Amino acid sequence: MILVARSIVRAATTCGSYHDGHHVHHIRARRALADRDLAVHVLVEIVDGDTVRLSWDGNRFEFHHHDVDAIAQALDLGGDVGEWIPRWRVLVLPGREPDDRTVFTLSDSEHWTDCTSPKLPEHPRSRPVHRSEPRRRRSSAGHRSR
């Protein structure tokens, strides 16, 4: 069986962090999904603009995420029961289809970090070019001169 997991975090243009509570890296998501037998079924509630509450077995824990609106959107699609995989600090929420999942990382208050600016790819012409030997000139016929 193939499980489809995706991240719908929309803060991609303003955050470049893959720390807990930010974007989930595809390797982390894949490993978390492989460890779903360690998951705890949780009730997920949005508390405020960056806080999510997970409840299970009479316990309530609050975590942070930089785009709680994306979590709220996923809850609207698949319901308010998800899977918490503590080893990876990953929350897996169901989608509309049985094998559709949305994956988020969550952070506790102790490890929460602010968003970081995304690293934009550097334009190749903005870097200095260093050559060890001078360029050879081409003759008008297109052959290299020696």
Side-chain angles (χ1 to χ4, degrees), residues 57-96:
D57 293 335
N59 298 309
R60 298 167 85 170
F61 300 94
E62 291 188 354
F63 297 95
H64 298 284
H65 191 272
H66 72 159
D67 190 4
V68 172
D69 291 339
I71 295 175
Q73 181 183 1
L75 291 173
D76 289 342
L77 290 175
D80 57 359
V81 176
E83 296 174 87
W84 173 241
I85 306 169
R87 176 180 181 188
W88 298 101
R89 295 166 308 282
V90 164
L91 175 64
V92 181
L93 296 175
R96 287 187 179 155

Side-chain angles (χ1 to χ4, degrees), residues 34-53:
D35 283 344
R36 284 181 66 204
D37 56 328
L38 304 173
V40 177
H41 291 276
V42 296
L43 177 66
V44 183
E45 302 170 77
I46 304 299
V47 176
D48 61 33
D50 74 348
T51 307
V52 177
R53 181 179 297 131

Side-chain angles (χ1 to χ4, degrees), residues 26 55-56 75 87 90 96 111 114 122:
H26 67 93
S55 304
W56 71 92
L75 291 173
R87 176 180 181 188
V90 164
R96 287 187 179 155
H111 296 100
D114 290 328
E122 193 174 309

Side-chain angles (χ1 to χ4, degrees), residues 2 4 10 12 27 38-40 48 54 100 109 115 134 137:
I2 297 174
V4 176
R10 293 179 302 263
I27 294 172
L38 304 173
V40 177
D48 61 33
L54 303 182
D100 190 20
S109 296
C115 290
R137 294 184 187 189

Side-chain angles (χ1 to χ4, degrees), residues 125-139:
R125 293 185 185 186
S126 66
R127 289 181 279 162
V129 177
H130 300 286
R131 298 187 189 277
S132 58
E133 54 186 68
R135 279 186 139 175
R136 295 181 179 158
R137 294 184 187 189
R138 292 184 180 247
S139 65

